[in-house]
Amino acid sequence: MLLAAPALDGAGLQPIGAVERVTRTERGLELACAQGGAVTVTVLAPDLVRVRAKFPGQTLALDHSWAIAKTDWPATPWQLAESPTHVTLSTAELQVVIQRNPLLIEFRDAATGRILNADHRPAARDPQSGRVTAAKKLGYEEHFYGLGEKAARLDKRRGKFVMWNSDTPGYEEGRDPIYQSIPFYLGLENGAAYGLFYDNAHRSTFEFGHLTQDSADWSATGGELNYYYFHGPALKKIVSRYTELTGRMPMQPLWALGHQQSRYSYYPDKLVEHIAAEYRARQLPLDVLYLDIHHMDAYRVFTWDRSRFPDPDGLMRRLDAQGLKVVTIVDPGVKYQPPANGAKDAVKDRDLAPQDDSYFVYNEGLAADHFLRQVDGSLYIGEVWPGKSVFVDYTKESARRWWGDLQHETLSARGIAGIWTDMNEPADFLDQTGQRHENIIFDDLGQKSAYAGHRNLFALNMARATYEGLERLQPDRRPFVITRAGYAGIQRYAVKWTGDNNATFAALSLNIPMFASLGISGQAFVGADVPGFIGRGDGELLARAYQVAAFAPFLRNHTAIDQYDKEPWRFGPHYEAIVRKFLELRYRLLPFLYTTLEEAHRTGVPLFRPLVLNFQEDAATHNLDDQFMVGDALLAAPITRAAQREREVYFPAGLWYDHWTGAVISTGGETQTVKAPIDHLPLYVRGGSIVPSTLVMQHTGEKPWNPLRFDIYPDARGAATGSLYEDDGASPAYKTGVFRRTVVALNQADHTARLTVAAPVGRHQPPARNLEFIFHGGTVRSSVTVDGQALAAIQEEDSSTGWFRRRDGATVVRLVDNSTARQINLR
């Protein structure tokens, strides 16, 4: 009951007053309302409007948001029309129609006049409690998506969801809230979509027709009514605009797409090296190993347990020589440890020195006043792994900088490649609900703001401190930060895993809608612990979990301290071989995955997608969440139930190829029952796609992408398009044009297939290599020309350039990459 937000009844609520005066400003409207209320409507873009309300008697806080990344929007043309009953603000894409009395707002499509979203009743506030509410009309056929991390199905219609970051190990479907709060959702009805982002970090509740037939309600226990309306009608457009507002994921290092191995905990150092040796000996691809909390001295952050890790620098060098990166956990709780009389901190290698008499992190943080305090000025002391602990006020710039300096000194300077921020809801063993914390005060740009409006922001600002510290102190390397909790905008600083999940098929099934919901909520780089953190699981679960995880951006095997080891070989050679198959598939597809990830960085549209994001007009996709798309090209239909060996697969309109055989399997708009033995993932390629790939490797830095392959799958018209994105995979040089983008397009005319390879764009220069173009579809070819010159026919076994017909019927053209435009004709 402590986690439940108030019911959305009308007790104590006072609606915003009627509009009494309208003032036009440069960017929008100011509506003066009865009894001293006011509403500001601001045009940020033709499809983006902000609405901010001030209720009678309310004092608004500083107009600042920790979630917002972009505030410098260019001026957008708009028009105003007034009548005795209504005020209408119009842009090229939308109309904001405001009824004067009572004050009700509706958003219409400018081209069609169709209402996409409208108030059901006036916004209201309880002046005694500070509770604010808004109610939108519920469409009879409306679907709802988003809200970030929710242990729920994709379509949130009829659901009730609370925003309150909570430490929830072992969560199951329906448990709410869990770790993260993203108060942004998308509505879709009859093919047209809109988005709403309520930028209020207090505990809030969304009810999408949960107990009513007429409204979708939002309520927060405090703060402001401050929301952004995103006009579609395309879902992808809304996601892109939302991530423009709250920030997009920076490019992650290429190794972050590799396989990652963890447990709670690997120690001593010899065990870490044993795991590394097993992976390499078994030819199981791996890029990253994790150190959980037992690498620290008595759980003190930014220290090392010298009995378990006597030489962390040497360990990092030895693992790096094997192509392995190391990521360490960093929790927010700093051990509360006043120094013993006369004790002094070490000056050099402070993280390696004994800390029992004096803990340098606590001493420094206290001296600089970096820790959270309560209303009476006292330190807030909670309890986490070190015992009594204090917590940093990350709303202070000085505290964020100090935190970043510490992690560089004690971790990244010793060879640690990334930071894993955990327990950052923040977890507190004394009280998981936040009730004990209500007297905590955050600096919040000098506003001295209460805890109630900052719990949901804590992880966002911790991740910011971590990311900005790495960026500042290692300017030649891309930061890699992962987080458990977060708020809107978290994607600017950290990638996301879904916390302490269960090793069950039910949890595996939940992965698909959770990843998809996170993706359309702005978080493109997501994943879950494989095959589950809590519980033993078995070999079948491990195999099926890797079949899903092979296509999630974040791929990590992880397990709890008291659970069975889950490295792939623990369940026997049969299941180990299946895991190897799908790891090798992932590494072969690195060029495609990296290209699709760059699209997410550039546009905000995620790699892991629900089908509705690509096929919005297809009603069959609107609540389909046991299949997913990888970019625009791949459709996966995994098995998520024990002992299941076949399943139904829905194919949207268009031509579909079986990934494994290259054969056309569907012309679209139908459901098929397909076989799925334990070692098989039903995986399909959308006709019209060109998918880049390369050879298998044991880690992402093992060798260049050579040969670089383009699998070409024509649509029904014989056309296909695709691209390849490349950069150095490690530095931020991509921001200044040091990348390479190659666009490839196929067209069919007069019995000739014409493949155009555009000249690469960008300054990145890859090593010398061959290109292979693989034409699927079964058409027999008798001749190939390249730039008007005949290309020699060769045997499949030859290593020279030329063309050949593969045993499965595909035609393969092999060329040297000369970094110029090419024209390949097949007849």
Side-chain angles (χ1 to χ4, degrees):
M1 291 299 295
L2 289 173
L3 289 175
L8 295 182
D9 57 52
L13 292 173
Q14 295 182 6
I16 193 79
V19 176
E20 295 184 335
R21 185 176 66 258
V22 178
T23 302
R24 177 171 182 153
T25 67
E26 181 181 356
R27 300 305 299 259
L29 303 176
E30 291 182 357
L31 309 175
C33 302
Q35 300 177 329
V39 174
T40 302
V41 180
T42 306
V43 178
L44 302 181
D47 57 353
L48 176 58
V49 172
R50 180 189 181 194
V51 176
R52 188 187 191 204
K54 176 184 178 297
F55 291 89
Q58 183 181 20
T59 300
L60 295 184
L62 180 70
D63 191 10
H64 166 268
S65 169
W66 296 100
I68 301 300
K70 181 171 181 175
T71 56
D72 57 339
W73 296 88
T76 298
W78 59 277
Q79 293 78 43
L80 173 64
E82 294 191 63
S83 75
T85 59
H86 290 82
V87 179
T88 301
L89 182 157
S90 302
T91 73
E93 296 190 33
L94 67 88
Q95 294 178 335
V96 184
V97 180
I98 304 162
Q99 180 177 292
R100 294 176 184 266
N101 188 17
L103 199 166
L104 297 170
I105 301 175
E106 62 185 27
F107 299 93
R108 299 182 180 183
D109 183 81
T112 65
R114 176 182 171 186
I115 299 172
L116 270 70
N117 179 266
D119 286 347
H120 173 64
R121 58 178 178 268
R125 180 176 183 266
D126 182 341
Q128 299 301 315
S129 68
R131 174 183 167 221
V132 290
T133 70
K136 299 293 184 175
K137 291 181 179 178
L138 177 68
Y140 294 140
E141 298 299 329
E142 191 168 5
H143 302 267
F144 297 94
Y145 310 106
L147 296 188
E149 184 185 42
K150 290 296 174 187
R153 303 291 293 271
L154 176 69
D155 186 358
K156 306 299 189 293
R157 182 177 176 87
R158 299 301 184 189
K160 176 181 178 180
F161 304 94
V162 175
M163 302 288 128
W164 191 246
N165 292 0
S166 302
D167 179 11
T168 49
Y171 63 87
E172 297 177 338
E173 182 177 348
R175 175 71 183 272
D176 189 71
I178 56 174
Y179 300 104
Q180 192 191 72
S181 299
I182 309 294
F184 165 70
Y185 73 86
L186 303 95
L188 173 67
E189 187 173 23
N190 298 326
Y194 68 89
L196 283 174
F197 168 41
Y198 289 90
D199 190 7
N200 180 321
H202 286 73
R203 183 184 305 178
S204 61
T205 301
F206 290 86
E207 295 193 39
F208 299 116
H210 178 56
L211 296 175
T212 178
Q213 301 292 331
D214 50 16
S215 64
D217 299 322
W218 170 85
S219 173
T221 57
E224 300 179 11
L225 174 63
N226 173 30
Y227 70 83
Y228 295 81
Y229 172 82
F230 302 85
H231 189 71
L235 290 167
K236 284 184 180 179
K237 178 171 172 281
I238 296 166
V239 172
S240 187
R241 186 66 89 183
Y242 168 75
T243 54
E244 184 180 9
L245 176 69
T246 60
R248 293 188 178 132
M249 173 199 72
M251 283 300 289
Q252 301 298 317
L254 177 60
W255 57 260
L257 271 176
H259 184 211
Q260 309 187 29
Q261 179 64 56
S262 181
R263 77 162 286 117
Y264 167 28
S265 285
Y266 284 133
Y267 69 87
D269 54 353
K270 299 302 182 188
L271 175 57
V272 178
E273 294 191 84
H274 170 75
I275 296 296
E278 285 293 308
Y279 263 101
R280 292 293 179 247
R282 295 171 182 273
Q283 294 287 287
L284 287 161
L286 185 70
D287 268 85
V288 186
L289 284 166
Y290 279 72
L291 300 181
D292 210 315
I293 58 176
H294 290 92
H295 80 276
M296 294 182 279
D297 177 6
Y299 308 123
R300 298 179 181 95
V301 290
F302 303 124
T303 69
W304 290 87
D305 185 325
R306 298 299 299 281
S307 66
R308 294 168 175 168
F309 295 90
D311 179 19
D313 303 57
L315 175 64
M316 299 311 131
R317 287 194 299 270
R318 293 191 296 274
L319 293 172
D320 184 68
Q322 301 176 60
L324 290 169
K325 310 295 183 185
V326 177
V327 173
T328 49
I329 198 168
V330 176
D331 288 345
V334 175
K335 184 175 178 63
Y336 172 74
Q337 186 182 320
N341 289 335
K344 294 183 179 298
D345 294 325
V347 176
K348 183 181 179 182
D349 292 333
R350 299 184 299 171
D351 54 322
L352 304 182
Q355 306 291 324
D356 288 345
D357 293 331
S358 184
Y359 177 28
F360 75 100
V361 176
Y362 175 80
N363 297 337
E364 276 193 359
L366 185 66
D369 196 25
H370 292 322
F371 300 133
L372 286 171
R373 295 184 178 272
Q374 302 187 94
V375 174
D376 63 4
S378 63
L379 283 176
Y380 175 75
I381 301 173
E383 185 173 319
V384 279
W385 299 117
K388 289 184 178 181
S389 300
V390 292
F391 300 83
V392 175
D393 183 354
Y394 297 109
T395 67
K396 292 183 176 180
E397 183 179 0
S398 60
R400 294 196 301 271
R401 190 175 185 91
W402 169 70
W403 193 259
D405 290 345
L406 280 174
Q407 72 189 6
H408 177 73
E409 173 192 347
T410 65
L411 298 173
S412 57
R414 299 200 179 280
I416 296 301
I419 303 295
W420 167 19
T421 59
D422 197 6
M423 304 286 286
N424 53 355
E425 291 72 35
D428 186 339
F429 296 161
L430 299 177
D431 176 21
Q432 299 288 23
T433 70
Q435 187 176 30
R436 186 177 183 270
H437 309 150
E438 60 186 11
N439 290 324
I440 293 174
I441 297 295
F442 286 78
D443 180 74
D444 191 22
L445 305 183
Q447 296 181 96
K448 306 301 180 184
S449 300
Y451 182 86
H454 277 269
R455 179 184 178 95
N456 287 342
L457 294 168
F458 184 87
L460 172 68
N461 284 315
M462 181 185 180
R464 177 178 178 176
T466 304
Y467 182 90
E468 290 179 346
L470 293 173
E471 186 179 46
R472 172 169 46 86
L473 296 167
Q474 296 185 118
D476 60 336
R477 289 168 55 182
R478 301 176 194 176
F480 178 71
V481 182
I482 70 171
T483 186
R484 191 167 75 180
Y487 182 72
I490 187 66
Q491 66 273 3
R492 303 198 299 268
Y493 311 118
V495 306
K496 163 71 180 167
W497 103 104
T498 56
D500 297 344
N501 61 339
N502 294 313
T504 63
F505 274 96
L508 175 60
S509 178
L510 199 55
N511 280 349
I512 299 172
M514 288 185 72
F515 296 172
S517 295
L518 284 160
I520 58 179
S521 301
Q523 297 171 87
F525 206 113
V526 297
D529 289 339
V530 178
F533 182 71
I534 297 172
R536 178 176 179 129
D538 58 17
E540 182 184 16
L541 176 65
L542 181 79
R544 294 305 195 188
Y546 268 97
Q547 290 167 18
V548 174
F551 296 99
F554 183 64
L555 167 54
R556 181 177 74 166
N557 182 309
H558 186 44
T559 193
I561 190 170
D562 57 346
Q563 303 295 324
Y564 189 75
D565 307 81
K566 295 191 177 79
E567 295 86 7
W569 57 86
R570 303 293 187 180
F571 297 92
H574 174 59
Y575 296 110
E576 179 186 343
I578 297 172
V579 171
R580 183 181 296 106
K581 172 183 175 179
F582 285 93
L583 288 177
E584 290 179 348
L585 172 63
R586 182 184 180 91
Y587 278 72
R588 283 201 305 273
L589 287 173
L590 279 173
F592 169 68
L593 296 174
Y594 196 62
T595 297
T596 310
L597 195 70
E598 190 274 337
E599 179 187 356
H601 154 71
R602 182 168 36 87
T603 70
V605 180
L607 181 154
F608 192 105
R609 304 177 186 175
L611 269 66
V612 67
L613 195 60
N614 285 348
F615 303 98
Q616 170 174 334
E617 300 297 328
D618 186 344
T621 70
H622 291 175
N623 70 351
L624 181 61
D625 59 10
D626 64 350
Q627 301 175 204
F628 62 89
M629 294 287 296
V630 186
D632 284 324
L634 300 184
L635 186 156
I639 301 298
T640 58
R641 294 206 301 267
Q644 186 178 359
R645 297 297 182 265
E646 66 177 25
R647 63 156 295 165
E648 290 185 343
V649 178
Y650 177 70
F651 296 96
L655 212 57
W656 293 92
Y657 294 76
D658 188 306
H659 166 82
W660 304 104
T661 67
V664 173
I665 193 169
S666 175
T667 56
E670 64 175 358
T671 298
Q672 292 185 19
T673 299
V674 303
K675 300 296 183 183
I678 185 64
D679 63 347
H680 180 71
L681 167 69
L683 182 65
Y684 308 96
V685 188
R686 186 181 184 181
S689 303
I690 298 178
V691 180
S693 64
T694 188
L695 297 178
V696 171
M697 54 191 73
Q698 293 304 300
H699 61 88
T700 56
E702 181 184 5
K703 53 193 174 186
W705 294 345
N706 184 23
L708 190 58
R709 294 171 172 150
F710 293 86
D711 281 272
I712 302 160
Y713 300 88
D715 63 16
R717 299 175 294 108
T721 58
S723 66
L724 171 72
Y725 173 86
E726 302 170 271
D727 58 29
D728 64 23
S731 81
Y734 69 92
K735 297 178 181 179
T736 57
V738 186
F739 62 84
R740 179 183 177 108
R741 194 186 311 279
T742 306
V743 176
V744 184
L746 175 72
N747 289 286
Q748 182 83 24
D750 301 328
H751 305 292
T752 299
R754 294 187 173 91
L755 184 73
T756 301
V757 183
V761 175
R763 303 199 310 274
H764 175 66
Q765 292 297 322
R769 64 193 179 188
N770 284 340
L771 304 178
E772 290 185 358
F773 302 94
I774 304 163
F775 296 82
H776 299 272
T779 303
V780 176
R781 306 296 180 179
S782 58
S783 66
V784 176
T785 62
V786 178
D787 300 330
Q789 301 296 313
L791 186 67
I794 60 175
Q795 297 299 312
E796 185 171 352
E797 296 78 14
D798 294 346
S799 58
S800 58
T801 58
W803 73 276
F804 58 89
R805 185 170 174 83
R806 216 164 57 180
R807 293 178 181 87
D808 63 1
T811 299
V812 180
V813 176
R814 183 183 298 144
L815 305 174
V816 173
D817 183 6
N818 63 7
S819 298
T820 64
R822 313 294 286 271
Q823 182 76 46
I824 304 170
N825 289 351
L826 291 80
R827 293 185 63 87

